[in-house]
Amino acid sequence: MRQETFTILFLMRKGRPKKNGLASVSARVTTGSLRQEFYFHCEGRPELWNQKKERMMGTNSISLKINKMIDEFRVQILGIHSKLLAEGYAANAAQIKQRYLNPTCNTMMLIAGLTDYAKRRQAEVGVRITQRTADKYERLLR
């Protein structure tokens, strides 16, 4: 089995600074040929950004805060990636972003729950619901 590439890149949008002169920092997670952008709410001075190190230079409070946010984000993404691999999913960038934005929602659990629900409704045909209603749940599941 071929190992898929996995990279996390941090970049500052220097070309689009805001009115106050600060530019936003974003992250790009790439797995294979699929890439996803993550925007976390931090802004810094573009002249202090070092793209090679993917960090803010300087020791002022804003630079230290942004660097800390970058470190925390990297740890979160690596944790999500390893957790997805441990659960047996193909940890692609879209799944990583979905798990990052909504950690409690799991699509596979939703499908499994809907399957159980459709089976229970099928058992109630003739008692509480009609066959036509049970067929609607099966169609939804497909």
Side-chain angles (χ1 to χ4, degrees):
M1 186 170 147
R2 188 171 158 238
Q3 179 83 15
E4 203 173 69
T5 60
F6 173 69
T7 58
I8 304 172
L9 174 72
F10 294 95
L11 43 108
M12 181 176 274
R13 303 289 182 187
K14 292 181 180 180
R16 293 185 264 169
K18 298 190 176 171
K19 290 181 181 178
N20 58 5
L22 301 177
S24 62
V25 178
S26 64
R28 181 183 298 152
V29 174
T30 307
T31 56
S33 61
L34 186 64
R35 77 171 63 149
Q36 291 286 324
E37 295 275 335
F38 291 82
Y39 297 100
F40 48 99
H41 303 287
C42 68
E43 300 171 339
R45 299 183 53 113
E47 60 270 7
L48 296 177
W49 180 255
N50 184 345
Q51 186 58 48
K52 286 189 179 186
K53 293 184 179 181
E54 298 176 3
R55 319 251 327 141
M56 292 290 290
M57 296 289 108
T59 57
N60 60 0
S61 62
I62 294 175
S63 296
L64 295 175
K65 182 180 173 186
I66 290 173
N67 289 338
K68 184 178 178 185
M69 288 176 71
I70 287 172
D71 291 338
E72 289 172 357
F73 181 81
R74 186 182 304 270
V75 167
Q76 273 186 309
I77 294 299
L78 290 172
I80 290 171
H81 181 259
S82 62
K83 195 178 289 186
L84 284 171
L85 290 176
E87 292 174 0
Y89 298 116
N92 62 19
Q95 285 182 333
I96 291 172
K97 184 171 185 176
Q98 188 257 342
R99 185 71 65 98
Y100 175 76
L101 295 176
N102 193 0
T104 59
C105 179
N106 189 348
T107 311
M108 297 309 256
M109 290 177 62
L110 175 69
I111 292 173
L114 187 59
T115 304
D116 293 340
Y117 187 77
K119 286 179 184 177
R120 282 185 296 178
R121 292 298 163 247
Q122 187 66 37
E124 294 177 353
V125 170
V127 178
R128 293 184 64 192
I129 62 172
T130 64
Q131 182 62 44
R132 189 170 181 185
T133 304
D135 291 342
K136 288 180 183 180
Y137 290 115
E138 291 295 327
R139 234 183 348 264
L140 176 66
L141 183 61
R142 278 183 292 183

